[in-house]
Amino acid sequence: MSNVTNIMIVGVGGQGALLASKTLGKVLLDAGFDVKVSEVHGMSQRGGSVVTYVRYGSKVYSPIVDKGEADFIVSFELLEAARYTEWLKPGGQIVVNTQKIDPMPVITGAAQYPENLTGELAAAGLKVDALDCLTLAEQAGTAKAVNIVLMGRLSKYLDFPESAWMSALEQLVKPQFLEMNKKAFQLGRGNA
């Protein structure tokens, strides 16, 4: 079996998971890997949970990541990170935005948002890199760049030159938003 790296991008509909997965996929394709990206699964139009799988290696046969196979979980929101920990392989890495988006049961008062999720994930022995991507995105010029801040943070764990990420952004982002997205990437990576 070929050496395949599995990445799950999880979040809430409307947060930009599609651009994140396209950016990651472009970097991987340009590096010469066989890449499979699943469609966004979930209630993406209604603020529901969404999942995208990105798999790459010398040969990838399926776009789906099974439980216990994810090398990385990139999460747009804390509760979504907690929801998908079963998919993380032993020693896998979680990259998570510390932003909290209340799900419907919390909004309606039927449930409470769990406290200290980052601490609980770390206490469970998981490797967690948590950062306030919303604040960093706003520093870059737009709250909508949380997705690219997350890609910047993920890039620290993947062995691809920063220029490859910049090239992907140049090809995928409209010119009027390019500099904001580049800055968001830099802030996520920790270079700004």
Side-chain angles (χ1 to χ4, degrees):
M1 185 172 140
S2 66
N3 189 17
V4 175
T5 300
N6 299 306
I7 301 171
M8 289 178 66
I9 301 173
V10 301
V12 175
Q15 289 186 296
L18 191 58
L19 178 59
S21 62
K22 281 184 175 179
T23 303
L24 177 57
K26 182 77 178 127
V27 169
L28 300 171
L29 282 170
D30 289 350
F33 288 100
D34 184 19
V35 181
K36 298 285 186 282
V37 179
S38 75
E39 297 294 320
V40 175
H41 299 285
M43 297 289 288
S44 59
Q45 299 299 313
R46 306 216 170 150
S49 183
V50 295
V51 182
T52 303
Y53 305 110
V54 179
R55 304 184 73 221
Y56 71 97
S58 55
K59 185 67 185 156
V60 180
Y61 295 98
S62 166
I64 303 300
V65 177
D66 289 323
K67 287 182 180 180
E69 288 186 349
D71 296 281
F72 297 94
I73 293 177
V74 179
S75 181
F76 284 74
E77 199 270 340
L78 275 168
L79 198 54
E80 294 300 317
R83 185 181 314 228
Y84 289 99
T85 56
E86 288 182 82
W87 273 260
L88 198 64
K89 70 168 42 168
Q93 177 71 51
I94 297 173
V95 176
V96 61
N97 176 16
T98 56
Q99 182 180 4
K100 295 178 182 178
I101 298 174
D102 290 341
M104 195 52 68
V106 172
I107 292 169
T108 63
Q112 287 190 322
Y113 199 100
E115 294 298 318
N116 192 25
L117 276 175
T118 305
E120 285 185 29
L121 293 172
L126 301 173
K127 295 192 309 190
V128 180
D129 184 352
L131 71 158
D132 183 350
C133 297
L134 180 59
T135 296
L136 294 174
E138 288 169 344
Q139 286 175 20
T142 176
K144 292 182 178 179
V146 164
N147 53 355
I148 302 305
V149 173
L150 278 166
M151 288 299 98
R153 183 56 101 193
L154 176 65
S155 75
K156 292 177 63 168
Y157 298 97
L158 302 176
D159 193 21
F160 301 105
E162 193 172 321
S163 58
W165 294 91
M166 291 298 132
S167 174
L169 288 173
E170 288 164 5
Q171 294 172 62
L172 295 170
V173 175
K174 291 179 182 173
Q176 65 266 38
F177 304 118
L178 184 57
E179 287 311 310
M180 280 189 287
N181 279 277
K182 283 184 172 182
K183 185 172 181 185
F185 180 89
Q186 295 286 344
L187 288 166
R189 192 171 169 99
N191 293 352

